[in-house]
Amino acid sequence: EYMGGDDAIRRIMWINSKEDGSFRGIGFVQFASAELTLKASQMDAPQVDGTWTWAKLNKPRLPPPTGYSLFLGGCPDSITDQVVTNHYQKAGTISSIRWGTNDDGSFRGFGYVYFDTEEAKDKAAAMEPLVVGGRTLRVDGASKGGKGGKGKGKGKGKASAPPMKSEGKKISFDD
């Protein structure tokens, strides 16, 4: 009510247990505007049925990448989108570049270059490796949409994709 009326909230999604369908005590609220989202995140958390609630402002997510990806590993902090584009545009059209980051936004030293065609990705993978800041980058061809092969890793449990940043200031693989 005090957020601006019935049209302030677009969607509420409650999280239930996969095992028995019971409520897990978590929900997501999507507001009609960024301003309303910020206002809600700054409000004092209300009590519901005697339990204090809290809210966390989530970072916006990038849409999933499209195209065929080439993995770049061992990247120095000095790498930029422009350096990568200048090197790999000879192979074909680059649709996007994304860099791996930690939750705090710090660079993780790897990224993906997305090409419009598999042919362009394969051509880029066959090129001389890019050298940045004295480092020769590790290059691996990934697959369509940036997902790896169907093999299973050596670790236990399920891995989740790292936070990604998209083209921006420092070559920042971001959201």
Side-chain angles (χ1 to χ4, degrees), residues 27-63:
F28 294 92
V29 179
Q30 181 182 25
F31 291 91
S33 70
E35 293 80 22
L36 287 172
T37 304
L38 184 59
K39 182 179 175 184
S41 72
Q42 294 170 341
M43 292 173 53
D44 289 331
Q47 274 193 350
V48 176
D49 293 332
T51 302
W52 286 101
T53 63
W54 59 272
K56 175 184 165 194
L57 186 61
N58 287 335
K59 297 176 187 173
R61 294 185 180 181
L62 286 176

Side-chain angles (χ1 to χ4, degrees), residues 70 88 91-93 115-125 127:
L70 187 69
Y88 288 111
T93 303
F115 293 90
D116 286 348
T117 66
E118 188 169 19
E119 186 178 350
K121 186 258 313 182
D122 291 341
K123 189 175 178 183
M127 291 173 62

Side-chain angles (χ1 to χ4, degrees), residues 62-163:
L62 286 176
T66 59
Y68 298 84
S69 65
L70 187 69
F71 173 82
L72 301 178
C75 301
D77 288 343
S78 62
I79 196 164
T80 64
D81 287 358
Q82 192 60 52
V83 167
V84 172
T85 299
N86 289 345
H87 183 76
Y88 288 111
Q89 68 186 357
K90 302 166 197 139
T93 303
I94 296 172
S95 56
S96 67
I97 299 171
R98 293 201 177 175
W99 302 106
T101 59
N102 293 308
D103 288 337
D104 65 2
S106 61
F107 183 49
R108 292 184 59 194
F110 73 91
Y112 294 89
V113 181
Y114 293 89
F115 293 90
D116 286 348
T117 66
E118 188 169 19
E119 186 178 350
K121 186 258 313 182
D122 291 341
K123 189 175 178 183
M127 291 173 62
E128 283 292 317
L130 180 58
V131 177
V132 179
R135 287 188 190 175
T136 301
L137 306 188
R138 190 179 100 216
V139 178
D140 291 317
S143 64
K144 185 165 177 50
K147 296 182 180 178
K150 294 183 180 180
K152 294 185 178 181
K154 295 179 183 178
K156 296 180 180 177
K158 296 180 180 179
S160 61

